[in-house]
Amino acid sequence: MTSDQVASISVPLHVDSLPTSANQEDHVSMATYAARRLGDMCFNTAVVVGIEAMTAAQGIDFNRPLQSSALMESQLAAIRQRVAFLERDRLMAPDIAAMRDWVAEQPWPQAVLAILPSYAPL
């Protein structure tokens, strides 16, 4: 990915919008490209959240034998099913990919679903 592509991912599309008629912006013409970019952004976000979760798990394991809450311990167990404790330096790409997949398969919290109109109960 070039630096121009990276910069375009981080900038909202409306910045590149040009006035077309009576100095009005034409947002509709950018909808397809914006939707395509959203996939890349979701992928990148899952990578970042996965790395954060993996790092948190490592930190929790450094504080053993202390125990966390039942919820945290269950999530730690789920992480450890995918990624082993980092005892020595190793290639992290497989771990990052496993954590990205773990993030992508997690269900959305009910509090989030309740405010999304497309997921709200009828």
Side-chain angles (χ1 to χ4, degrees), residues 81-99:
Q81 286 178 349
R82 289 159 179 81
V83 176
F85 179 80
L86 185 62
E87 293 184 36
R88 298 178 50 150
D89 192 22
R90 66 175 183 253
L91 178 65
M92 299 300 294
D95 294 341
I96 292 170
M99 289 305 299

Side-chain angles (χ1 to χ4, degrees), residues 5-78:
Q5 289 170 322
V6 171
S8 75
I9 290 174
S10 64
V11 176
L13 274 176
H14 73 273
V15 171
D16 293 329
S17 180
L18 298 173
T20 56
S21 175
N23 216 18
Q24 299 278 326
E25 292 182 27
D26 186 9
H27 296 284
V28 178
S29 65
M30 295 181 293
T32 302
Y33 182 57
R36 287 179 45 217
R37 281 183 20 169
L38 181 60
D40 292 337
M41 289 183 221
C42 290
F43 181 89
N44 292 340
T45 301
V47 169
V48 170
V49 172
I51 291 170
E52 290 288 336
M54 186 171 49
T55 304
Q58 191 75 12
I60 289 171
D61 283 343
F62 281 140
N63 288 305
R64 294 295 187 205
L66 298 174
Q67 294 289 307
S68 189
S69 67
L71 177 62
M72 289 297 297
E73 291 295 332
S74 70
Q75 293 303 308
L76 178 63

